[in-house]
């Protein structure tokens, strides 16, 4: 008996909260959703006070809190009622952004009565548009991470086509990266690699609707562009500024191989890319430091000779320095290019002439064959029958195949005109060639 007297009584806090959650469940099953949400919110806010104490929450209390959050989330997701969400979602943010975001991203579109902009405003500031601060005790002050996750949902799951959401998502990631760099982080740090990887995926995805001008201005306004060369290459490419992208690849990344690969990749977008790359080699930062005004750098010369077939010699000559002396030994590489260009032009001219003559010959052969077939005569007698239906031709319209097979025109309708329906001969194939 003495031992029993010394045992502490069960926790009244735990009993009250168990009773509160049980009451909330009963109210839910009675479809008294507002009353149930009131019960779960009060219990959740009580736990907030307890979690602020030195002892923190006990394991049973944590389990009870999880039930409060779970049931609140369940009711709000089932109802998707804007008034209930605005009234009861706030307190859950004290325990993290996951559960309330599950509510705000439920379904396959905006919640009736709430626009995407309304939700973003709330997630940023903690207040719904047109309303004051939340009730004391459940005050949510906004969360940048919550906004980013909501924008992720709009862009990647809902596949919204509204440019402002795509741009805003990219801007958030860009600002985070720039902020960390300004705080001392290096562009190559592992911490930034994941964020940069995600930003690049947004910028480069063919289905995103980013306003690339906005992103470009934000980067360019930063000190030294923050070393975000990969992002800038994508942005310039999307904006059609291929020359600017090539300058970065040559001057900043110093990768001639990648520059040539870039030209091949985007040549359908701009057929003059190889000429632009030649221009970059002539005016690159390294060329300006070392180039003799009476010649051009070795990199540009090697590029000219390697790609003689795609560089228009007339336009190349116009880009060369006016003071250039082709008789000077140091310009022998340029002379070599001009010789090869002339040879290539002549070769190309001959090939086109040959191709033209071949087409002429083929057309002539076709005309001769066609005339031969048209000039053939066909004798129809009383006994001549259609080889398809076996009825006599008599005075009916008929068709004659090149091999002499005769059928009624009415039998011919719907058939492949190139294939004899009797022998299955395909007259498009001659000596095994189509």
């Amino acid at each position: 008996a003495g031992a029993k007297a010394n045992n502490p009584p069960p926790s009244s806090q735990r009993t009250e909260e168990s009773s509160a959650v049980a009451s909330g469940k009963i109210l839910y099953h009675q479809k008294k959703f507002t009353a149930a949400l009131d019960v779960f919110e009060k219990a959740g806010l009580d736990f907030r006070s307890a979690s602020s104490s030195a002892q923190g929450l006990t394991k049973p209390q944590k389990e009870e809190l999880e039930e409060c959050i779970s049931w609140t989330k369940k009711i709000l997701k089932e109802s998707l009622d804007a008034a209930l969400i605005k009234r009861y979602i706030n307190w859950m943010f004290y325990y993290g952004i996951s559960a309330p975001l599950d509510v705000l991203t439920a379904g396959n579109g905006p919640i009736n009565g709430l626009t995407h902009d309304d939700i973003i405003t709330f997630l940023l500031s903690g207040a719904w548009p047109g309303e004051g601060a939340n009730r004391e005790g459940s005050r949510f002050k906004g969360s940048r991470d919550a906004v980013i996750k909501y924008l992720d949902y709009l862009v990647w799951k809902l596949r919204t086509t509204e440019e402002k959401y795509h741009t805003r998502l990219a801007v958030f990631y860009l600002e985070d990266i720039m902020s960390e760099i300004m705080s001392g982080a290096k562009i190559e740090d592992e911490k930034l690699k994941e964020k940069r990887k995600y930003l690049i995926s947004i910028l480069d995805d063919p289905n995103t609707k980013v306003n690339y001008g906005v992103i470009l201005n934000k980067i360019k306004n930063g000190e030294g562009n923050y070393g975000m060369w990969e992002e800038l290459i994508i942005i310039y490419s999307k904006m059609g500024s291929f020359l600017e992208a090539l300058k970065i690849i040559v001057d900043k990344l110093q990768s001639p191989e990648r520059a040539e690969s870039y030209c091949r990749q985007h040549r359908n977008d701009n057929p003059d890319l190889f000429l632009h790359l030649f221009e970059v080699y002539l005016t690159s930062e390294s060329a300006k430091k070392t180039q003799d005004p009476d010649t051009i750098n070795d990199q540009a010369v090697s590029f000219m000779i390697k790609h003689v077939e795609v560089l228009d010699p007339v336009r190349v000559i116009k880009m060369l320095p006016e003071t250039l002396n082709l008789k000077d030994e140091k310009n022998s590489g340029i002379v070599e290019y001009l010789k090869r260009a002339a040879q290539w032009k002549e070769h190309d001219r001959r090939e086109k002439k040959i191709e033209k003559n071949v087409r002429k010959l083929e057309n002539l052969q076709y005309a001769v064959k066609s005339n031969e077939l048209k000039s053939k005569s066909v004798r129809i007698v009383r006994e001549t029958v259609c080889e398809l239906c076996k009825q006599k031709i008599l005075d009916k319209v008929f068709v004659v195949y090149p091999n002499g097979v005769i059928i009624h025109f009415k039998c011919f309708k719907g058939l492949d005109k190139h294939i004899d329906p009797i022998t299955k001969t395909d007259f498009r194939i001659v000596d095994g060639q189509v």
Side-chain angles (χ1 to χ4, degrees), residues 129-326:
E131 295 184 1
N134 298 319
R135 290 167 300 114
E136 188 63 32
S138 62
R139 174 68 171 145
F140 165 57
K141 294 181 174 59
S143 165
R144 185 183 178 89
D145 287 343
V147 178
I148 291 174
K149 287 187 179 296
Y150 188 75
L151 289 170
D152 269 337
Y153 158 76
L154 295 184
V155 170
W156 300 117
K157 184 175 180 182
L158 287 193
R159 289 289 178 180
T160 177
T161 57
E162 291 193 59
E163 172 259 298
K164 62 182 178 181
Y165 299 126
H166 292 249
T167 302
R168 201 164 187 180
L169 179 60
V171 166
F172 270 118
Y173 274 96
L174 177 60
E175 288 176 345
D176 283 351
I177 293 167
M178 291 180 356
S179 175
E180 291 194 29
I181 292 173
M182 291 175 69
S183 299
K186 302 295 182 184
I187 195 69
E188 64 275 7
D189 287 355
E190 287 297 326
K191 186 178 180 181
L192 287 182
K193 277 185 179 178
E194 280 305 309
K195 288 186 178 180
R196 288 189 67 207
K197 181 179 177 182
Y198 194 87
L199 174 60
I200 287 171
S201 73
I202 298 171
L203 297 175
D204 203 27
D205 191 289
N207 296 314
T208 54
K209 311 292 181 184
V210 175
N211 184 328
Y212 293 98
V214 171
I215 309 301
L216 177 62
N217 288 335
K218 273 194 166 290
I219 296 177
K220 289 180 73 175
N221 289 336
E223 186 176 344
N225 295 332
Y226 299 98
M228 301 177 72
W229 307 123
E230 296 295 341
E231 290 85 344
L232 284 170
I233 290 170
I234 293 171
I235 291 168
Y236 281 128
S237 301
K238 294 287 188 178
M239 296 176 70
S241 301
F242 301 107
L243 181 59
E244 296 301 319
L246 285 170
K247 287 179 181 178
I248 292 174
I249 297 171
V250 172
D251 284 333
K252 303 302 181 184
L253 303 184
Q254 298 183 349
S255 176
E257 296 81 7
R258 180 172 174 182
E260 292 184 26
S261 175
Y262 180 89
C263 290
R264 286 190 290 271
Q265 179 186 352
H266 294 280
R267 197 175 178 190
N268 288 339
D269 301 316
N270 187 331
D272 290 332
L273 276 185
F274 279 93
L275 201 64
H276 287 327
L277 181 52
F278 176 63
E279 179 185 351
V280 171
Y281 284 142
L282 290 178
T283 59
S284 65
E285 292 177 2
S286 59
K288 290 176 183 177
K289 292 176 184 177
T290 61
Q291 189 162 299
D292 183 333
D294 296 327
T295 186
I296 62 175
N297 60 77
D298 293 341
Q299 190 175 42
V301 172
S302 299
F303 181 77
M304 290 166 67
I305 294 173
K306 181 179 178 182
H307 296 288
V308 63
E309 75 281 2
V310 294
L311 293 175
D312 182 350
V314 175
R315 297 175 69 181
V316 167
I317 291 171
K318 288 181 180 179
M319 297 167 69
L320 298 175
E322 292 182 3
T323 57
L324 189 142
N325 182 4
L326 293 179

